[in-house]
Every structure is written in C-alpha cells, then in structure tokens.
Amino acid sequence: MIDFGIGQPQLDQLPSDLLLKGANRLFVSPDNAYLNYGPGQGDPNLREALAGFLGPHYGFEVDPQTLFMTGGASQALHLIAATFAQAGDTVLVEDPTYFLAPQIFRDLGLKVVGVPIADMGLEPETLERAIQEHRPKLLYTIPIHQNPTGVTLPQERRETMIDICREHGVLVVADEVYQMLTYRGTPPPPLARQIASETVFSVSSFSKILAPGLRLGWIQASQKLLARLLRLGLLASGGGLNPLVGSLVHKLLISGDQDRYLSELKEIYDRKIDLMDRLLQDHLGKMVEYVKPVGGYFFWLKLNGALDADELEKVAATEAVGFRPGSKFSMSGRHRDFLRLSFAHYDESAITEGVVRLGKAVELLRSKIL
Amino acid sequence: MIDFGIGQPQLDQLPSDLLLKGANRLFVSPDNAYLNYGPGQGDPNLREALAGFLGPHYGFEVDPQTLFMTGGASQALHLIAATFAQAGDTVLVEDPTYFLAPQIFRDLGLKVVGVPIADMGLEPETLERAIQEHRPKLLYTIPIHQNPTGVTLPQERRETMIDICREHGVLVVADEVYQMLTYRGTPPPPLARQIASETVFSVSSFSKILAPGLRLGWIQASQKLLARLLRLGLLASGGGLNPLVGSLVHKLLISGDQDRYLSELKEIYDRKIDLMDRLLQDHLGKMVEYVKPVGGYFFWLKLNGALDADELEKVAATEAVGFRPGSKFSMSGRHRDFLRLSFAHYDESAITEGVVRLGKAVELLRSKIL
C-alpha cells in the first residue's frame, strides 16, 4: 500500500545522525541544568538561538522574549485554546482545514465553525460575516501552503484579516509550520510579523523541519499574550514543556546543522513536487485539475467529471494506493471532488508507482460510472 | 542562600552519563520510527519495558496495555482533569497538598476544595462528608510519602477510599511519583494495584527517579478509562506525547541502568535523611517536632511555641536559608506552624550548613517573640 494520505516526513531522511552529534555535545556538557525543571518559557539560550535562526528565514528580527517553547504545534494549539477560550465558546477554522485540528478544540468543549476559503484563502467579507454571526473567541488559520489546499494568503489580505479580528476581539491562531518550507519564490512574511497587534499567535514546530518525534515547537506572540500562558500551573509544576529536547535542538541550531538540513529538505521536496507533477500530468492528465504547489507537503487535486473522492478511495484501495479525500477536511461535507496527496513521505520510486496506481484507480472509477 | 524549599534533585547527581550511553545506542539504531509521529499511547516496546521495570518495585505484574506515556506527571494531571471534568466541576485535594497541583486544576475552570488529612492521611468519614457536600468529579491524592507531610495512607484506608469514591462516582487521581522512593520498610502497593476498580488513575514519572528535564511520565489506568484519553485530538495530531525521550529512556530501562541508578539514589537519599535528622536534633532540638521520613523528598516540621512559619521565613532569609512555609500547601491557610524542608537538592555539606542557619533563625525568632 502506498498511502499518499500520510502527511509525515520520509523515515529514512530523518536526521538521527545530527541528533547523535548533538547528543555527544550535550550530554558531556558540565552544565546539565537541562536535566532539571526548566524555565516555563523555555531555556533562554535556546530561545536566543531559535530567534537567530528564524530571523533570516522570516526576513525580520525575532525577539527571543516573544518565543515560548512547547511540546510541538499540537500542544501549542491545545494550550492556547485552553487558556484563551472557555467551554461553549466558538473557534472559526478554514473550510477546508487541517483535519486533526478541530478535535483539539472540541476536546475542550469549544464549538468549531468552518469559514469557506477561496483561491486566495480567507476572504475578508466572508470572515467578517462569520465573526458577526458566530462571535468566536479564536480564528485558527493556516496562512501559508495551507493544509490541504496549498493556498497562501496574500500580504494585503493578511493585514485586513488582522484588522477585522482585532476590531472584533478575535485572537488569530496562525499555524505557520510550513512557512520555512517554501521551495520557489518568496512568501509573504509570517503572521508572526504582526504580533505587536496583540491579536496573533504564530504557532510553529521542528516537526516538519527536523523531526516530529522531538515534540518541540514554539508559540510566537506579544509578551502580554504570552504572560497568560506563562501563568499556567502546568509550567509552574513541570517546568518548561520539553527542556532536554530543547537543549538537544539548541546544539543543532548553533552548529548550523538545522540550517543545512532545512536546505537539503527543501531541495528534496522541490524535486518530489516536480516528479509528482510530471507523473500526475502523464497518468491522470485531464482527469484532474490542480495548482502546482510551491511549498508545504501537499497536492490538492480536483477530480473532473463529478467524481466522488470517497468513492475513489475505495477503488484506490483495491489498487493499493491511498490518499485523504477532500470531505475529511471540511466542516460541512464539501470538497467531495477533491483529494489531498502528500509528496513528503515516500521516495521517488514509491511516488512513481503510487501515481501510476492512482491513475488506474481514477480510470477504473470513470469506467464504472460512465 | 541554601533553599530547602527547592523540591528538585541535586544537579550534579543527574545522570547525563547514562543518557549519553543511551543516546549512543538509540541514534545509531536502523529503526528510527521514534523520530516520527508515534502511537498516541506511547511506543509498545517502551511500555513493555516500563511494565517489566515496575513489576518488581510494585510487587505485582503490570500490563503494558494499562500504561499511557505522558510528558511528565504534571501533563498527566492536566490531561486527566481536562478530559474527565468540565469547567465548574469540583476537584477535592488533600489539605495540605502539593502546592503546584491546584493551579493546574483551576486553569481548567475547576473548583478546588481541600479535605483535611490526619496523621494517617485521608480519613474515610471526612472524605465521605466532603464528597457529599461538594459532589466532586475528581479526588487528587498523594497516597505515599505525601508532599508535604510525608504521610503514607495505610492499606485498609486505601481500599475504603476506593470504595467510597466508586460508590459516589468520583475518580481518584493518585500521584504516586514517590512510590519507588521508599528507603526503609515495605510500603503498601501503589493505588495502581486497584485500576480494575475503574476508579483510579495512577500518575507517575521519571522526574524523580531519573531526571525532571526528560518530561516523561505515565498514567496507569484501566483500558476503559485510558480509551477516553486516547481519543484526544492532541494525540491524533501530535502522535505520542514524547516519543524521542521515551525511546531514549527505553534504552536505560532495558540495559538495567535505570534500576541501578534508582538503587543508588535510594541509598543517597537515605543517608541524607539520617544526616538531616541528626542535624535537626542537634540544632533545633525541642524547638520542632516531626516524624522522620522513610521515603520521598521532605521533612515536615512543626514549630513548637506557637511560632509562625511565614514569620520564620523572613528571619531565615536574613540567615540565607529558605524553606516552604506550611500555609503554602493549604487551601484554608492552615499549617502556619509547619515548614517543609527538602533534603533532595543539596549535598551533605550544604545540608549541614543550611540546618545550622535554620537553627539560628528559629532561635532568633523565638528571642524576638519572647
């Protein structure tokens, strides 16, 4: 089974060698404070190194005081929602959105409402109407290389979005884990640029640029917003959310290993996109439509001929190929004629074989229907 | 300043050497799945090794299926409370209790009510009355080497406590992080023994037996109770709560390093207790009363002569010695004549100097008052 539904890095590309190097520096250091309860916000040295790493990628200077280390982006979403919303409150999410985010919000008793997005992402009028109708506390958005659509919100829309949210007292939770995974062109700066608005949390992670198993991420926000998170009893009791892993990653940041690894990753993913694009043209051709991605992890394919992706999933399983049908990403059962393919998890030969199988599956479904 | 208030391990005893050894095994392994999103419950190999480690210490066989790996005990408390109670619900805690736990519950909008404990811990009648009055969802208890009092709940009371809680539909969250830190005698088995009652979560951690910075702990509970935790969106999205650190600790469990390190720790702490006891007799003598601890991290001293520990804290600061005054552990401002001293954080010479200073401070306060 080749499952393009898996939105995870390729196992044999994960950097155990770099971690080995880091560990052999860290665990011999005479300063072993990382083994004890750490500061709630995360080790100052780590935050300084992270700020130094982010600056050139983001295109502006990052203040270490605005960074708060977490156990991954998912924990960041959980803690922000638990702190800034209460059971019964509403969170707006994009429709379609990252399919595993809504459950994090629902677990906290929050209502999740989808706001349809268009070719350029969230539209100001649609957003404002949704805010007026649902009076949400939070807006969860993926402003760059959106999961699943690949859409990036243009600069002017970002500013309008912040203005609208600030005006209505809605906090923006921006999932920017794909910001540094831009393979072509220059993306708009992350919403982390706008934290002075007191309206934005930028959530990001080492999961996609180093390894998911690290469970290390961060929130970037104004010190005023961070202050509420830093008062959490969880931090007072447990110390920082992942100090040992943070200190390990610190070694990779200051050695330049993280930067070099990210450059390699970007080349690899860029090649995989070219390959998958060519294969999709060859084997699915006019049966699908899509915009070739320039970043992130995903192709978002529209099936032509009113085919249903949930139906296609069943046929594809018989051809030993998988994907995530569009309906999975929707709050409203929309996008049934879409599918999301990840190019990240497989090597070039598996991608090739998988797309061939997918082509067969689509033809099989078409022949059944026609 | 020698601060006996710090309830943390001694920095230069923390096992960087063992982690170095573990890292040099882990990061060369061809199986690098620990670098990817892990199973929500934690790696099955880790859970099996942990079960094998716990069995002999607990005195009964532990089923790996009843273990759920977390990012420390504090995260465990947070997730259990977030999942099994809702804003507005009540949590009973012991009075006095671990002073950083109540905030974890309050952050979730829960009401925290203290139940006074006596020399043998929670008393059945007092507990039942509190349950009838406050209708709590959860009871948070530290049944062994209690923080701060050092009290261990006797076996027969444990059974009565579970019976009462089950009858009233109250879930017991047992903080058993000190269970394996018993230096003299045989303690009752942990409440983890009673998970078949479907009424108990046993929370524990590697923080006190290996290193706090690992942020690795576990919940032991019936599979039925665990199932609700395993449905958390946080797990579906982020994978296991700390897979890389879990795999690192796995190496220390299977090599026997964890077991050997725990034996060393117990000898060290036992010696520190003897030392502190002797010093307290010599330098504070009849000015205080206490039961010499047989486990855990703390001495719980009652000041004779109606002295106030909050007042003593100010005087002690001028002598460059610190502790946690009893009022800090109380929901009701009780225990003002108690102080908690940790013997874990300092070496023998600092303990000696600290107790000498403390003796001076108590005498100073007495001379002021008399």
Side-chain angles (χ1 to χ4, degrees), chain A residues 47-360:
Chain A
R47 289 187 288 108
E48 197 186 316
L50 177 57
F53 166 74
L54 292 175
H57 290 285
Y58 281 5
F60 56 90
E61 203 173 322
V62 171
D63 176 357
Q65 283 304 104
T66 63
L67 298 173
F68 165 55
M69 306 309 301
T70 71
S74 306
Q75 190 188 38
L77 298 183
H78 170 83
L79 290 180
I80 292 169
T83 306
F84 292 90
Q86 294 188 304
D89 286 343
T90 295
V91 184
L92 296 183
V93 303
E94 293 160 338
D95 185 358
T97 190
Y98 168 46
F99 70 108
L100 295 171
Q103 190 59 37
I104 295 177
F105 303 129
R106 287 196 198 104
D107 286 340
L108 294 162
L110 307 180
K111 279 181 262 178
V112 180
V113 173
V115 184
I117 62 171
D119 293 351
M120 309 279 270
L122 273 175
E123 294 179 303
E125 305 74 30
T126 319
L127 174 62
E128 190 152 25
R129 252 197 327 271
I131 290 176
Q132 282 161 345
E133 187 179 345
H134 300 286
R135 301 276 157 212
K137 282 280 171 61
L138 303 172
L139 164 66
Y140 170 67
T141 175
I142 310 169
I144 187 151
H145 312 311
Q146 204 245 9
N147 179 359
T149 61
V151 163
T152 291
L153 194 69
Q155 183 56 35
E156 57 283 10
R157 284 226 180 148
R158 291 170 178 245
E159 281 157 26
T160 317
M161 180 176 82
I162 302 284
D163 287 346
I164 293 172
C165 286
R166 183 167 42 191
E167 192 185 320
H168 293 277
V170 177
L171 292 168
V172 177
V173 185
D175 185 339
E176 309 204 277
V177 298
Y178 299 112
Q179 180 76 31
M180 289 182 277
L181 292 176
T182 299
Y183 318 124
R184 305 218 174 160
T186 307
L191 285 173
R193 186 89 179 87
Q194 317 284 337
I195 56 172
S197 66
E198 307 278 6
T199 305
V200 176
F201 297 93
S202 168
V203 167
S204 195
S205 164
F206 287 96
S207 290
K208 301 286 193 283
I209 60 170
L210 205 54
L214 294 165
R215 296 291 81 217
L216 191 69
W218 66 91
I219 298 169
Q220 191 174 348
S222 69
Q223 291 189 57
K224 190 175 152 196
L225 288 179
L226 285 190
R228 282 187 60 184
L229 290 169
L230 295 174
R231 280 199 295 272
L232 283 173
L234 178 64
L235 295 172
S237 173
L241 294 169
N242 213 351
L244 183 141
V245 171
S247 293
L248 190 54
V249 169
H250 176 245
K251 297 293 178 199
L252 275 56
L253 287 168
I254 58 176
S255 66
D257 282 328
Q258 168 66 83
D259 237 328
R260 282 186 293 273
Y261 182 71
L262 176 57
S263 298
E264 284 167 35
L265 268 187
K266 287 163 71 173
E267 281 174 28
I268 291 168
Y269 288 145
D270 192 38
R271 280 203 304 274
K272 285 188 181 183
I273 289 177
D274 270 353
L275 173 70
M276 199 174 229
D277 177 44
R278 214 164 49 238
L279 290 161
L280 287 169
Q281 296 298 333
D282 288 352
H283 297 276
L284 287 95
K286 298 217 158 47
M287 300 189 292
V288 295
E289 278 170 34
Y290 59 87
V291 177
K292 186 178 168 185
V294 294
Y297 261 32
F298 308 110
F299 278 77
W300 180 241
L301 267 53
K302 183 180 187 308
L303 291 166
N304 286 329
L307 292 193
D308 181 304
D310 291 284
E311 289 301 313
L312 178 61
E313 195 179 20
K314 292 174 204 153
V315 179
T318 68
E319 296 292 323
V321 64
F323 55 83
R324 292 265 186 274
S327 58
K328 202 158 177 92
F329 302 90
S330 180
M331 295 292 99
S332 53
R334 296 176 351 134
H335 313 294
R336 294 189 63 92
D337 50 345
F338 280 86
L339 47 156
R340 190 196 78 173
L341 307 181
S342 167
F343 52 83
H345 190 60
Y346 290 103
D347 65 17
E348 305 207 340
S349 87
I351 290 175
T352 307
E353 175 62 22
V355 176
V356 170
R357 291 180 192 172
L358 185 63
K360 280 190 202 150

Side-chain angles (χ1 to χ4, degrees), chain A residues 35 37 74 98 107 208 233 237, chain B residues 37 74 98 107 208 213 233 237:
Chain A
L35 286 178
Y37 295 98
S74 306
Y98 168 46
D107 286 340
K208 301 286 193 283
S237 173
Chain B
Y37 296 97
S74 306
Y98 168 46
D107 287 340
K208 300 287 193 284
S237 174

Side-chain angles (χ1 to χ4, degrees), chain A residues 37, chain B residues 6-10 145 178 181 183 207-209 212 265 269 273 293 295-299 340-345:
Chain A
Y37 295 98
Chain B
I6 302 175
Q8 304 187 358
Q10 191 178 321
H145 311 312
Y178 300 111
L181 291 176
Y183 318 125
S207 289
K208 300 287 193 284
I209 60 169
L265 268 188
Y269 288 144
I273 289 177
Y297 261 31
F298 308 109
F299 278 76
R340 189 195 78 173
L341 307 181
S342 167
F343 51 82
H345 190 59

Side-chain angles (χ1 to χ4, degrees), chain B residues 90-105:
Chain B
T90 294
V91 185
L92 296 184
V93 303
E94 292 159 338
D95 184 358
T97 190
Y98 168 46
F99 70 107
L100 295 171
Q103 192 58 38
I104 295 177
F105 303 129

Side-chain angles (χ1 to χ4, degrees), chain B residues 323-336:
Chain B
F323 56 82
R324 292 264 187 273
S327 59
K328 203 159 175 90
F329 302 90
S330 179
M331 296 293 100
S332 53
R334 296 178 347 135
H335 314 292
R336 292 187 64 91

